[in-house]
Amino acid sequence: MAKVTVLGMGVMGSRMAISLINAGHEVIVWNRSLEKTKPIVQAGAEIAHTPRSAAEEAEYVISMVRDNEASKAIWLGENGALLGMQQKAIAIESSTLTVSWIKELNKQFQQQRISFIDAPVAGTRPQAEAAQLIYFVGGEPIVFEQAKPILQAMGSKVNYAGEIGKGMAIKLAVNSLFAIQVTAMGELIAMMRQSKIDLAQALEIIASTPVCSPAAAMAARAMDAEKFAPLFPIALANKDLNYAIATTEEKQTKLPLLSATQKLYAKAIKQGYGEDNITGIVQIY
């Protein structure tokens, strides 16, 4: 069994840490707010007071935080994890970030001769609790193979995507596809309500057709039932759409559908729905 550090005890990181504990690994956790670490410590984890101290004896260091800025702070800040990591350790970034930041972060690890992979996930709270996350991993094949058993303790499928940044590119594509489908369903629900048809019946008919994905069908049912408790909040969906759009800015490739979708999520945030689940986008119609 390995000694694994998890940085970030949010909805996802906390459950990933529990999965590692359940798999028999020795787990060290850090979070900006110590209060969130208490349930994980009670489950058997050791607490650290800085990312640097959390990483000092770890064989694997996993980050699961909100955005680029948080990632930069925990890895490269004054008490960042990179300063404490051993050269034989492997750094794993599982947050949803920009591809450009992942590549820059990799350069920082290369300078210290420490192995690094980007390993974002598909899944929210239920999948994290069940250790059923789906991983998209970018990095050197040999490092991927070394880290794979650790990722398998938290996920049901671990996909190798290619070199550094490729895992993150796939993750941004997956989240963007989901956001587009949810927005489309929101608009169709608004249209069908105007037609005064039985919405629940209509959604079941649409769900039975080959053009409707299971994710879109599930989202539509949640919209009809006004279930907006946050699993994947609108604010995070908006952040991910912005990050996906940023991926093409250097080559000036236009993404009109993604851009239009992002504007709708920004509108929802402006109207006060940012902390609602992504299905809450229906409220803007």
Side-chain angles (χ1 to χ4, degrees):
M1 292 296 102
K3 194 162 191 174
V4 186
T5 289
V6 182
L7 305 172
M9 291 292 102
V11 168
M12 299 296 287
S14 60
R15 287 159 177 82
M16 291 162 70
I18 292 291
S19 293
L20 289 164
I21 292 168
N22 290 342
H25 296 291
E26 185 178 349
V27 177
I28 306 161
V29 298
W30 172 87
N31 193 67
R32 185 173 55 183
S33 168
L34 289 178
E35 187 68 25
K36 288 188 176 181
T37 64
K38 288 182 179 179
I40 320 302
V41 172
Q42 290 172 355
E46 178 185 338
I47 189 171
H49 294 281
T50 67
R52 180 175 183 169
S53 62
E56 285 175 349
E57 297 180 8
E59 298 168 68
Y60 302 88
V61 180
I62 301 169
S63 164
M64 179 55 103
V65 293
R66 187 179 180 91
D67 52 29
N68 282 5
E69 290 71 26
S71 173
K72 184 175 182 179
I74 66 164
W75 288 118
L76 307 180
E78 184 178 353
N79 284 298
L82 178 55
L83 294 172
M85 288 184 68
Q86 305 173 60
Q87 284 195 348
K88 63 182 180 180
I90 295 175
I92 302 171
E93 181 55 90
S94 287
S95 316
T96 304
L97 311 172
T98 60
V99 173
S100 59
W101 169 242
I102 286 297
K103 291 180 178 179
E104 174 58 32
L105 190 56
N106 183 52
K107 290 178 183 177
Q108 298 293 326
F109 281 99
Q110 284 180 328
Q111 289 174 8
Q112 301 302 318
R113 298 183 181 179
I114 296 173
S115 297
F116 173 77
I117 58 173
D118 57 296
V121 301
T124 56
R125 183 186 300 154
Q127 292 76 31
E129 287 179 346
Q132 294 290 306
L133 297 169
I134 299 174
Y135 278 88
F136 318 113
V137 184
E140 293 293 332
I142 189 170
V143 182
F144 166 72
E145 291 298 335
Q146 290 172 334
K148 190 174 181 180
I150 298 300
L151 303 181
Q152 287 174 327
M154 300 172 283
S156 59
K157 191 168 181 60
V158 181
N159 299 286
Y160 180 63
E163 63 188 27
I164 286 290
K166 297 294 175 65
M168 196 60 64
I170 290 176
K171 171 59 189 290
L172 292 173
V174 168
N175 279 17
S176 297
L177 177 59
F178 183 47
I180 289 168
Q181 290 182 82
V182 172
T183 307
M185 275 299 188
E187 290 194 6
L188 294 176
I189 285 172
M191 179 269 287
M192 288 187 287
R193 282 174 173 162
Q194 290 294 315
S195 301
K196 301 187 184 303
I197 62 177
D198 184 322
L199 184 57
Q201 181 185 36
L203 291 176
E204 290 309 310
I205 293 171
I206 291 170
S208 72
T209 69
V211 301
C212 184
S213 74
M218 186 180 300
R221 294 184 188 107
M223 290 181 194
D224 183 33
E226 298 186 351
K227 293 181 178 180
F228 307 140
L231 289 173
F232 180 28
I234 286 171
L236 287 183
N238 181 63
K239 181 264 294 184
D240 293 350
L241 286 164
N242 276 314
Y243 282 0
I245 293 166
T247 301
T248 64
E249 287 177 348
E250 187 177 318
K251 295 186 178 180
Q252 298 184 327
T253 301
K254 302 300 181 184
L255 302 173
L257 182 56
L258 275 183
S259 297
T261 304
Q262 183 275 320
K263 288 176 183 177
L264 291 171
Y265 283 90
K267 179 180 179 180
I269 293 169
K270 190 173 182 179
Q271 292 183 8
Y273 304 126
E275 296 309 310
D276 286 349
N277 193 48
I278 190 171
T279 49
I281 195 71
V282 72
Q283 296 170 103
I284 70 173
Y285 296 103

